[in-house]
Amino acid sequence: MLTEIATTETLRSPVPAALPSNRRAPETFIPAGALMSFPRNSEIFAEGEVAGYVYKVVSGVVRISKLLPDGRRQISAFHLPGDMFGFEIGDIHHCSAEAVVPTKVVAFKWQGLIGAGASTSLVRELLTRTMIGLRHTQDHLLLLGRKNALERLAAFLLEMADRSGSAEVLDLAMPRHDIADYLGLTLETVSRMFAELKEMGPIKLESARRVRLLDRDKLKAMAA
Amino acid sequence: MLTEIATTETLRSPVPAALPSNRRAPETFIPAGALMSFPRNSEIFAEGEVAGYVYKVVSGVVRISKLLPDGRRQISAFHLPGDMFGFEIGDIHHCSAEAVVPTKVVAFKWQGLIGAGASTSLVRELLTRTMIGLRHTQDHLLLLGRKNALERLAAFLLEMADRSGSAEVLDLAMPRHDIADYLGLTLETVSRMFAELKEMGPIKLESARRVRLLDRDKLKAMAA
DNA sequence: CGTGGTTTTGAGCCCCTTCAACCACCGTGG
DNA sequence: CCACGGTGGTTGAAGGGGCTCAAAACCACG
């Protein structure tokens, strides 16, 4: 049954198999394909927790982050519907995942996906997804290591626009603080760079979270 | 034959199947397990080149990097003997790889590893290696996004010590400039942080490239 | 309308960069 | 033996980009 559920096709369009719950108990058994709901800012899993499931976003937005002992935070990714997260090598999560907005995810038992008897095509799909994550993370290293604040924000807006349908108006789910922790800046600097991009032309702020992209080519040029 | 060569065991201890060549021609066929040698600072593959092979370091050190149009560089990883690199999703390299010192690598045809007929255990091993790379890259995001110069260098020295046998004296293969591009700093700042770590006690510089680790716990505390 | 969370704006400062000079090491050749 | 050039590393001084601290403005929601 695990193999029957854990197919590539299932990963693409999972069928909810259980009712939503706000927070799973650490040791609760979750059937492959269980749908779970998380309110805004709630924890999906925490760094150091026992792993064992991978998750696929159905709706909402998830942030993946790591903390330093003194509270400094780095967000490594935002996951949108269709994305998967929670892959771990050992059985311990080394990142935490939280819902940025009310979010629904489907949980799959990791052992069911890659354990003995797993199909090669499924493992190959997980490999592809992991490699996509690795490529994104490497691109992000270049941003954090070598780009200035304006370039970082321009790149962020382009990334979000590309990933959420390339509409004319971009709706950002996350607050300035999350953007800052994703871009390795402070929220004040993010706010100032928004003002500067507005000033320079390529964007217009319908509201703090709604950005109209007026000149995508100019943005690309500014993202370095 | 590909499946026979491309086993997990082969990946761990490959047998050279061809003679060294300084630089492969772009379209030359390379049998799985071909041993290749690269002189110091030579290019193994470049961003944008056609991919098709994955590589395993036999001896030497390889740096993986990305460039911005204006020349700013970010090194995402140093690979030591036993490490593999060159995984790509499409057929285009999106990073470049260069030998830091005279280096020998073994090349494997990617299609031979994951193509039709590949064993699940082999694909699973590639998945594990990719996930290890992803974890390392995420840790590095935290370093680049949130740590100061001193913390970065301390973390770098600890990483290198851990990976190269945890000896008392650490031999760094790479120049200051490469360390800087790995840590998102300038070479001058790296040099100053070396001086500061020396000043503060936890290290001693036998020479510019030879570092004696006097107090690893203190280093760990400084790496935040 | 208050109230709390979020965002913007301002002022001063500091860490790291930039630019520049100097030094240490090393193989080469007179 | 030492002058020489080249690479790589260190050190100094000055400037700036982003941070810190602070306060005001905005906005959704009771």
Side-chain angles (χ1 to χ4, degrees):
Chain A
M1 48 285 285
L2 271 179
T3 50
E4 189 231 318
I5 289 182
T7 61
T8 302
E9 200 44 41
T10 303
L11 288 181
R12 288 195 211 290
S13 44
V15 178
L19 289 179
S21 71
N22 276 352
R23 183 79 175 86
R24 65 178 162 72
E27 299 306 328
T28 303
F29 173 74
I30 301 171
L35 182 63
M36 307 197 298
S37 295
F38 294 92
R40 196 175 90 110
N41 287 328
S42 64
E43 181 179 89
I44 298 172
F45 55 76
E47 199 173 341
E49 259 185 38
V50 172
Y53 295 89
V54 295
Y55 304 84
K56 185 169 204 254
V57 182
V58 175
S59 66
V61 179
V62 175
R63 60 173 175 256
I64 306 296
S65 63
K66 288 178 71 73
L67 289 177
L68 287 175
D70 62 4
R72 283 174 286 177
R73 183 179 68 154
Q74 180 64 42
I75 292 176
S76 62
F78 292 109
H79 289 300
L80 306 184
D83 295 343
M84 294 190 68
F85 62 95
F87 301 7
E88 294 297 340
I89 301 158
D91 53 358
I92 299 290
H93 283 295
H94 76 290
C95 288
S96 59
E98 292 142 359
V100 175
V101 293
T103 296
K104 294 189 194 307
V105 303
V106 187
F108 298 93
K109 213 168 186 357
W110 178 246
Q111 277 306 322
L113 302 186
I114 62 126
S119 77
T120 301
S121 71
L122 175 59
V123 180
R124 201 186 281 121
E125 170 166 353
L126 294 173
L127 174 60
T128 299
R129 283 180 182 269
T130 307
M131 285 169 64
I132 289 172
L134 181 57
R135 175 194 292 197
H136 174 268
T137 309
Q138 284 174 339
D139 289 343
H140 209 55
L141 283 186
L142 179 62
L143 181 146
L144 291 180
R146 291 303 180 204
K147 291 186 183 176
N148 65 30
L150 196 62
E151 292 167 341
R152 293 182 199 198
L153 185 59
F156 171 74
L157 292 175
L158 285 170
E159 182 196 349
M160 284 305 160
D162 282 354
R163 291 176 61 190
S164 44
S166 272
E168 189 72 11
V169 174
L170 179 60
D171 269 287
L172 298 172
M174 65 291 291
R176 297 287 186 265
H177 188 213
D178 282 1
I179 299 175
D181 282 351
Y182 181 61
L183 300 179
L185 301 169
T186 62
L187 62 92
E188 294 96 328
T189 299
V190 170
S191 182
R192 280 183 251 268
M193 294 304 111
F194 265 112
E196 193 151 332
L197 284 180
K198 193 174 60 175
E199 186 80 16
M200 298 176 79
I203 70 167
K204 184 164 178 292
L205 287 179
E206 311 271 341
S207 76
R209 308 279 185 105
R210 289 179 68 84
V211 186
R212 180 174 293 274
L213 303 177
L214 300 174
D215 189 342
R216 221 167 289 213
D217 290 337
K218 190 185 251 180
L219 258 194
K220 259 176 211 138
M222 297 176 70
Chain B
M1 49 288 283
L2 272 179
T3 50
E4 189 232 317
I5 289 181
T7 61
T8 300
E9 201 42 44
T10 303
L11 288 181
R12 288 194 211 290
S13 44
V15 177
L19 290 179
S21 71
N22 276 352
R23 182 79 175 86
R24 66 176 161 74
E27 299 306 327
T28 303
F29 173 72
I30 301 170
L35 182 64
M36 308 196 298
S37 295
F38 295 91
R40 197 174 88 109
N41 286 330
S42 64
E43 179 179 273
I44 298 173
F45 56 76
E47 200 173 341
E49 260 186 37
V50 172
Y53 295 89
V54 294
Y55 304 85
K56 186 168 204 257
V57 182
V58 175
S59 66
V61 179
V62 174
R63 61 173 174 256
I64 306 296
S65 64
K66 287 177 73 71
L67 288 177
L68 287 176
D70 63 3
R72 283 175 284 177
R73 183 179 68 154
Q74 179 63 44
I75 293 176
S76 63
F78 291 109
H79 288 301
L80 306 184
D83 295 343
M84 294 190 69
F85 62 95
F87 302 8
E88 294 297 341
I89 301 158
D91 51 0
I92 299 291
H93 283 295
H94 75 292
C95 289
S96 58
E98 293 143 358
V100 175
V101 293
T103 296
K104 295 190 196 305
V105 302
V106 187
F108 298 93
K109 213 171 186 353
W110 178 245
Q111 277 306 321
L113 301 187
I114 61 124
S119 77
T120 300
S121 71
L122 175 59
V123 180
R124 199 185 282 121
E125 169 166 353
L126 293 173
L127 175 59
T128 299
R129 284 181 183 268
T130 307
M131 285 169 64
I132 290 172
L134 181 56
R135 176 194 291 197
H136 173 268
T137 309
Q138 284 174 341
D139 289 343
H140 209 55
L141 283 186
L142 180 61
L143 180 146
L144 291 180
R146 291 303 181 206
K147 292 187 182 176
N148 65 31
L150 196 63
E151 291 167 342
R152 293 182 198 197
L153 185 59
F156 170 74
L157 292 174
L158 286 171
E159 182 196 348
M160 284 303 161
D162 282 354
R163 292 176 60 192
S164 45
S166 272
E168 191 71 11
V169 174
L170 179 60
D171 269 287
L172 298 171
M174 65 291 293
R176 296 288 186 262
H177 188 104
D178 282 0
I179 299 175
D181 283 350
Y182 182 61
L183 299 180
L185 301 169
T186 61
L187 64 91
E188 294 95 329
T189 299
V190 170
S191 183
R192 280 183 250 268
M193 294 305 110
F194 265 112
E196 192 152 332
L197 284 180
K198 194 174 61 177
E199 186 79 15
M200 298 176 79
I203 70 167
K204 183 163 179 292
L205 288 178
E206 311 271 339
S207 75
R209 308 277 186 106
R210 290 180 67 85
V211 185
R212 180 174 294 272
L213 303 178
L214 300 174
D215 188 343
R216 221 165 291 213
D217 290 337
K218 190 184 251 182
L219 259 194
K220 260 177 209 138
M222 299 175 69

